[in-house]
Amino acid sequence: MLEGSCLCGAVTFSVAEPLHAPDGCHCTACRKHSGHYFVSADVPKTALTVRGDDKITWFQSSPKVRRGFCAVCGSSLFWDPIERDWIGVAMGAFDTPTGIKIAVHVYTDEKADYYDIGDDAPKFETVPPRPV
Ligand SMILES: [Zn+2]
């Protein structure tokens, strides 16, 4: 069982199965929401248990996507494609070791200029064809 939490601990969560390799999204919306680029793993919604979900504020960032953050401390936690059966969980919020590395970088055409991508994971200007 993998465990995670926001900075203040008002929201905690568990993931009941091994994580899929995460992606790093460099799009403008992810950068603004997270403060840098957003690295998340896609988790089946049935495998995610959230405690303190009354402390999550959801921001609808596009017609089919909402982003969840802790209303107390502001930690970016979730990227939710509302109509899908999975949810992106922020890798930075895990408290337990994850055992995986970033598998792919996406939307590098919107990357900011102050950093370079320093690993060998494949890079896509928008999104790669699924499955990643
Ligand atoms: Zn919090």
Side-chain angles (χ1 to χ4, degrees):
M1 189 77 83
L2 292 158
E3 303 289 342
S5 61
C6 66
L7 178 59
C8 76
V11 181
T12 63
F13 61 85
S14 305
V15 175
E17 62 180 54
L19 294 175
H20 298 282
D23 60 77
C25 184
H26 300 260
C27 84
T28 302
C30 277
R31 291 192 292 103
K32 288 188 178 292
H33 181 66
S34 69
H36 192 32
Y37 65 93
F38 187 65
V39 184
S40 63
D42 298 345
V43 172
K45 289 177 177 174
T46 53
L48 176 68
T49 301
V50 177
R51 292 165 298 274
D53 56 345
D54 60 313
K55 294 295 192 297
I56 297 174
T57 295
W58 292 99
F59 173 70
Q60 184 107 22
S61 57
S62 64
K64 293 185 175 180
V65 173
R66 62 180 188 162
R67 296 164 187 267
F69 60 95
C70 175
V72 179
C73 69
S75 293
S76 300
L77 299 170
F78 303 113
W79 187 91
D80 182 13
I82 298 162
E83 296 172 358
R84 307 294 292 273
D85 60 357
W86 56 271
I87 186 169
V89 178
M91 292 299 291
F94 281 96
D95 297 307
T96 47
T98 63
I100 53 176
K101 302 287 187 187
I102 294 173
V104 64
H105 293 275
V106 300
Y107 287 104
T108 60
D109 62 337
E110 295 182 33
K111 184 180 94 53
D113 63 357
Y114 67 88
Y115 64 92
D116 295 313
I117 299 172
D119 60 46
D120 294 328
K123 300 167 186 63
F124 294 88
E125 290 188 351
T126 56
V127 289
R130 288 196 176 262
V132 177

